[in-house]
């Protein structure tokens, strides 16, 4: 039997992924950009560290990963640095359905998928003229939401968009007033079971600090534009009566993915939501892989503790799925 190793790129959720893999008995490899290796030396989660001078070298490294029988676990930094087009061409076994990447990275396709799955989503305004309520304007590829702005109405939009000359790739989305809630799921294509793994809320700079500056002082200060640059993630447990809806949302998302991109979405995924005071759950985005919001749960979450006998992080759950696939000779269901 082939002895697989588990590999990922050093950033995002690599510590959790590699620790989970070791807990399930795999040897691990961290592929790391020169200068970023300190955490992977400080925390003993990687049996081997492969260094690169730039991400362009990844295709050279890939040959070595193939020789080592490694399986790549993708995360957001992996996709961002390697690029979705190149990821599709990878030869090294990859945990996940690559066909989903298109549906996730194209806003129109993503919306079509989630609406068909019956999820409630913020309204999109196709032209500024249609704006009839508060909106959030998101620039595509804005590093961590740095240039996003809120607009109260059409006139406010017209004034603020002038501060972004030449920028045409943006989406005007209804602003949903509620609390952010990121739902982490895991779907097994082997047992066909969906699990709710955990929840997080993000800690974003500077939007999470504006409440610390009184309205009076905000007005007095020269200019404060909110930004949504991610700095970290905070664990969350939701009101239990929200769970039936949350489970149904995950089930329907998986079911619809099987229609649009067979064999569908599997492994970890996240619905990024805002929940309103009437307990309406609006989903504004999906991540079809592990999200860094699972990082507070390296030692398991309150939900995984209800189901598993060991501290089960999402990283470890990935490794246990790979182990099961190897044992049952079903790796064709999970490697692409
Ligand atoms: P990094 O490797 O931290 O430079 O991040 C690369 C990409 O992953 C960026 O697009 C980030 O927005 C995303 N990312 C990294 N960490 C997180 C996090 N904790 N939560 C959400 N997204 C993240
Ligand atoms: P994103 O870059 O799409 O992940 O969003 C960055 C931040 O904007 C997160 O804090 C979200 O909670 C918030 N956000 C995104 N879309 C909306 C929306 N339609 N209404 C309210 N908040 C939103």
């Amino acid at each position: 039997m082939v002895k697989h190793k588990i590999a990922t790129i050093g950033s995002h959720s690599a510590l959790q992924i590699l620790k989970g893999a070791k807990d399930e008995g795999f040897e691990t490899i961290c592929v790391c950009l020169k200068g970023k290796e300190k955490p992977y030396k400080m925390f003993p989660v990687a049996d081997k560290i492969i260094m690169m001078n730039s991400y362009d070298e990844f295709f050279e490294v890939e040959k070595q990963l193939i020789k080592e029988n490694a399986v790549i676990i993708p995360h957001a930094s992996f996709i961002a640095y390697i690029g979705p087009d190149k990821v599709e061409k990878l030869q090294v076994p990859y945990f996940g359905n690559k066909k989903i990447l298109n549906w996730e990275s194209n806003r129109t396709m993503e919306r079509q998928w989630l609406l068909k799955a019956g999820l409630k989503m913020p309204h999109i305004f196709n032209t500024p003229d249609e704006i009839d309520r508060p909106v959030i304007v998101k620039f595509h590829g804005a590093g961590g939401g740095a240039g996003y702005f809120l607009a109260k109405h059409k006139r406010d939009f017209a004034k603020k968009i002038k501060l972004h000359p030449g920028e045409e790739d943006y989406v005007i989305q209804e602003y949903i007033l509620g609390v952010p809630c990121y739902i982490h799921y895991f779907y097994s294509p082997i047992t066909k079971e969906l699990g709710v793994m955990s929840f997080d809320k993000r800690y974003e700079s500077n939007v999470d600090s504006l409440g610390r500056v009184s309205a009076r002082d905000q007005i007095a200060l020269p200019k404060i534009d909110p930004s949504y640059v991610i700095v970290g993630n905070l664990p969350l447990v939701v009101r239990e009566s929200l769970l039936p809806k949350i489970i149904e949302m995950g089930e329907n998302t998986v079911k619809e993915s099987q229609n649009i991109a067979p064999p569908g979405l599997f492994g970890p995924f996240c619905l990024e939501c805002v929940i309103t005071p009437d307990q309406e759950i609006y989903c504004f985005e999906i991540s079809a892989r592990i999200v860094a919001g699972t990082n507070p749960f390296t030692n398991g979450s309150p939900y995984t503790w209800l189901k598993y006998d060991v501290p089960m992080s999402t990283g470890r759950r990935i490794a246990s799925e790979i182990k099961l696939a190897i044992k049952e000779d079903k790796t064709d269901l999970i490697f692409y």
Side-chain angles (χ1 to χ4, degrees):
M1 194 166 65
V2 184
K3 201 155 181 272
H4 289 284
K5 295 181 183 171
I6 287 188
T8 196
I9 282 192
S11 198
H12 191 269
S13 45
L15 291 169
Q16 184 205 152
I17 291 171
L18 299 176
K19 164 79 170 120
K22 279 184 85 67
D23 286 344
E24 289 294 318
F26 287 94
E27 271 186 55
T28 58
I29 302 174
C30 181
V31 182
C32 209
L33 205 59
K34 215 178 234 169
K36 307 270 185 189
E37 67 275 20
K38 282 197 173 154
Y40 311 99
K41 290 190 170 156
M42 175 180 280
F43 304 108
V45 295
D47 293 306
K48 180 184 265 185
I49 300 180
I50 301 178
M51 300 299 298
M52 293 184 299
N53 292 306
S54 83
Y55 284 105
D56 296 337
E57 288 175 21
F58 187 75
F59 282 83
E60 277 309 305
V61 172
E62 190 193 9
K63 292 179 194 151
Q64 192 179 341
L65 293 177
I66 292 171
K67 264 196 221 135
E68 303 241 22
N69 285 318
V71 182
I72 273 281
I73 312 299
H75 51 54
S77 304
F78 177 81
I79 308 282
Y81 297 139
I82 307 297
D85 304 344
K86 288 192 181 148
V87 168
E88 287 198 35
K89 297 198 184 92
L90 291 178
Q91 299 294 313
V92 62
Y94 170 100
F95 181 82
N97 177 357
K98 287 182 188 164
K99 282 190 255 163
I100 288 285
L101 285 172
N102 269 337
W103 284 88
E104 188 199 17
S105 59
N106 177 309
R107 270 193 223 121
T108 316
M109 288 166 75
E110 178 190 42
R111 194 170 171 83
Q112 201 183 326
W113 167 17
L114 299 181
L115 287 176
K116 272 197 184 162
L119 303 195
K120 212 180 250 290
M121 299 189 78
H123 186 73
I124 298 281
F125 298 93
N126 293 318
T127 66
D129 257 354
E130 292 172 17
I131 298 175
D132 63 359
R133 62 196 98 163
V135 292
I136 179 167
V137 180
K138 301 182 181 180
F139 294 93
H140 192 60
Y148 291 5
F149 67 83
L150 304 188
K152 280 183 284 204
H153 40 54
K154 259 183 248 183
R155 274 171 294 123
D156 194 27
F157 173 87
K159 200 169 83 192
K160 290 179 175 160
I161 197 70
K162 283 199 189 122
L163 301 174
H164 301 268
E167 293 245 34
E168 283 176 6
D169 190 13
Y170 56 79
V171 62
I172 309 172
Q173 216 176 64
E174 170 187 14
Y175 186 76
I176 307 293
L177 195 58
V179 291
C181 176
Y182 291 68
I183 312 170
H184 318 143
Y185 301 92
F186 190 99
Y187 178 71
S188 163
I190 302 175
T191 65
K192 313 256 184 275
E193 252 187 315
L194 176 83
V196 168
M197 302 296 289
S198 45
F199 300 85
D200 79 293
K201 61 175 272 191
R202 289 184 175 181
Y203 199 41
E204 293 163 328
S205 192
N206 58 17
V207 75
D208 286 319
S209 61
L210 291 182
R212 295 159 57 107
V213 182
S214 73
R216 184 198 61 194
D217 292 342
Q218 287 191 22
I219 290 166
L221 287 169
K223 181 169 170 275
I224 310 182
D225 282 325
S227 57
Y228 299 83
V229 176
I230 184 83
V231 173
N233 305 80
L234 303 165
L236 188 73
V237 170
V238 298
R239 184 173 172 169
E240 198 156 311
S241 56
L242 287 169
L243 284 177
K245 175 75 190 155
I246 284 169
I247 295 169
E248 190 184 315
M249 287 168 65
E251 287 169 346
N252 291 342
T253 302
V254 171
K255 213 180 284 168
E256 185 52 33
S257 75
Q258 294 167 346
N259 296 328
I260 59 170
L265 177 63
F266 66 84
F269 68 100
C270 171
L271 294 178
E272 310 190 348
C273 300
V274 174
I275 307 183
T276 69
D278 335 331
Q279 300 187 59
E280 296 285 6
I281 309 180
Y282 283 84
C283 174
F284 58 88
E285 207 168 309
I286 183 166
S287 282
R289 66 187 68 76
I290 187 167
V291 287
T294 58
N295 286 338
F297 308 106
T298 304
N299 199 34
S301 81
Y303 300 93
T304 61
W305 189 238
L306 298 169
K307 191 169 162 77
Y308 301 97
D309 299 331
V310 293
M312 185 61 75
S313 67
T314 291
R316 183 166 184 178
R317 183 66 190 81
I318 294 171
S320 75
E321 189 75 3
I322 295 174
K323 210 158 107 176
L324 181 67
I326 295 169
K327 188 169 142 222
E328 297 195 356
D329 199 16
K330 290 183 177 158
T331 51
D332 55 320
L333 292 182
I334 58 162
F335 294 167
Y336 282 80

